[in-house]
């Protein structure tokens, strides 16, 4: 029995095929996402990392395959079942994808509006709680997205993704465009929230520092499928040109050395 046999599968993807016209992005893709893990999804340009995220969350209709989330077939779910799924996961898109005409607080309130029993006062209070949870100052709630820095917009997007207390959050390139200090702070936020809230995290990224700082397991997209899954040490043993270049190249060595330095500093 493998260690994975004892883990609860929240998301199960089998035989996924996605394509745009004649261009096939995924063909026969299989993937499991386990409860409580931070799963990093990596791959070269054009391998369909974000497309996979959108297919799982029902935002992209695949040509074939099965996607099961929390025991529900996503592709054949009724509107009521889809509503229940949407309450159990949250999605943070690149750069936050906030509504520019709304304040940050109003953006975070958008998912909360689906709960009819919430009064405007309670909805506002819950939104302020989520804003604080992701490390934004209270005054950020009244700001427009255009008034925020890139890092603050990403945190606001994460606050909105957490609005309904989801069991799993999907993060699409959360540290892209951030300076090293901002990216490191966001990595620490992911770790803190996943531990404190018991979150499962599906993390699309190309950032090696983020992989080393946050991820329990890695899924590599290549050749139109999930080529391999495993821990970071296991990635170093994979005999595939792209995997070897990605996980043993100069940038990967810098990321490993940075993590070792941080670990040694904490131990001291």
């Amino acid at each position: 029995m493998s260690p994975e046999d004892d883990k609860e599968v929240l998301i199960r993807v089998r035989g996924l095929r996605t394509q745009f016209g004649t261009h096939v992005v995924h063909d026969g893709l299989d993937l499991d996402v386990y409860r409580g893990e931070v799963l990093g999804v990596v791959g070269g340009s054009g391998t369909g990392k974000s497309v996979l995220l959108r297919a799982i969350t029902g935002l992209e209709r695949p040509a074939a395959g099965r996607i099961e989330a929390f025991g529900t077939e996503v592709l054949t779910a009724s509107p009521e079942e889809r509503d229940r799924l949407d309450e159990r996961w949250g999605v943070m898109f690149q750069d936050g994808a906030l509504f520019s005409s709304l304040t940050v607080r109003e953006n975070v309130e958008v998912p909360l509006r689906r709960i009819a029993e919430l009064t405007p006062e309670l909805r506002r209070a819950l939104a302020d709680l989520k804003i604080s949870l992701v490390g934004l100052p209270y005054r950020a709630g009244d700001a427009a997205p255009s008034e925020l820095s890139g890092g603050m917009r990403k945190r606001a997007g994460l606050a909105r993704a957490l609005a309904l207390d989801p069991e799993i959050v999907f993060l699409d390139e959360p540290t892209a465009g951030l300076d090293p200090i901002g990216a490191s702070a966001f990595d620490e936020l992911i770790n803190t929230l996943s531990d404190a809230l018991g979150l499962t995290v599906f993390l699309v990224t190309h950032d090696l520092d983020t992989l080393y700082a946050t991820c329990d397991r890695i899924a590599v997209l290549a050749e139109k499928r999930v080529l391999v899954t495993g821990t970071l040490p296991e990635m170093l043993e994979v005999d595939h040109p792209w995997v070897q270049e990605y996980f043993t190249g100069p940038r990967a060595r810098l990321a490993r050395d940075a993590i070792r330095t941080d670990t040694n500093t904490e131990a001291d």
Side-chain angles (χ1 to χ4, degrees):
M1 179 182 292
S2 67
E4 285 76 14
D5 292 334
D6 294 330
K7 298 179 181 178
E8 180 185 356
V9 178
L10 293 191
I11 308 288
R12 179 177 283 109
V13 181
R14 292 292 182 271
L16 188 72
R17 179 182 176 90
T18 59
Q19 63 185 94
F20 301 96
T22 60
H23 176 59
V24 177
V25 180
H26 305 131
D27 193 11
L29 183 150
D30 297 338
L31 179 66
D32 290 335
V33 182
Y34 302 115
R35 182 179 291 281
E37 74 172 345
V38 179
L39 175 69
V41 178
V42 303
S45 177
T47 54
K49 301 181 292 295
S50 296
V51 173
L52 176 59
L53 182 156
R54 292 174 63 85
I56 292 174
T57 55
L59 300 174
E60 200 76 61
R61 184 77 182 182
R66 293 176 54 246
I67 302 171
E68 183 181 295
F70 304 105
T72 297
E73 291 285 347
V74 175
L75 303 180
T76 59
S78 67
E80 293 77 15
E81 289 173 324
R82 277 308 315 268
D83 283 345
R84 287 194 290 271
L85 285 176
D86 288 341
E87 291 175 0
R88 299 182 73 175
W89 62 41
V91 184
M92 193 201 97
F93 299 101
Q94 294 186 33
D95 199 38
L98 301 170
F99 298 110
S100 60
S101 61
L102 302 179
T103 67
V104 168
R105 181 182 297 105
E106 289 168 342
N107 267 279
V108 178
E109 285 186 45
V110 169
L112 294 167
R113 291 182 180 276
R114 56 193 303 136
I115 304 177
E117 296 80 7
L118 291 181
T119 64
E121 293 77 17
L122 183 54
R123 193 168 59 234
R124 177 188 176 96
L126 289 172
D128 285 339
L129 176 63
K130 303 304 179 181
I131 290 169
S132 175
L133 189 65
V134 299
L136 287 174
Y138 179 80
R139 65 182 181 277
D142 295 318
S146 60
E147 298 176 299
L148 302 181
S149 68
M152 292 177 74
R153 282 196 302 273
K154 288 176 182 288
R155 287 176 183 254
L158 180 56
R160 186 176 62 187
L162 294 172
L164 295 175
D165 296 326
E167 296 170 60
I168 180 171
V169 289
F170 294 85
L171 308 180
D172 193 358
E173 297 284 5
T175 59
L178 298 182
D179 62 74
I181 294 175
S184 179
F186 204 95
D187 291 340
E188 185 176 345
L189 176 62
I190 293 172
N191 287 334
T192 299
L193 292 177
S194 63
D195 290 341
L197 304 178
L199 284 174
T200 302
V201 180
F202 183 104
L203 172 64
V204 171
T205 187
H206 69 279
D207 191 329
L208 280 157
D209 290 326
T210 294
L211 289 177
Y212 276 93
T214 67
C215 293
D216 301 305
R217 198 166 60 101
I218 311 295
V220 178
L221 298 191
E223 301 172 10
K224 301 179 181 179
R225 60 190 175 91
V226 173
L227 180 73
V228 64
T229 61
T231 63
L232 278 162
E234 289 170 339
M235 292 297 108
L236 302 178
E237 306 300 322
V238 176
D239 185 17
H240 185 276
W242 189 89
V243 178
Q244 281 294 307
E245 176 65 22
Y246 188 80
F247 287 101
T248 65
R251 291 174 66 87
R253 290 195 293 272
L254 287 173
R256 287 201 304 273
D257 290 345
I259 293 298
R260 288 170 182 159
T261 299
D262 289 345
T263 302
N264 291 337
T265 300
E266 291 173 2
D268 293 343

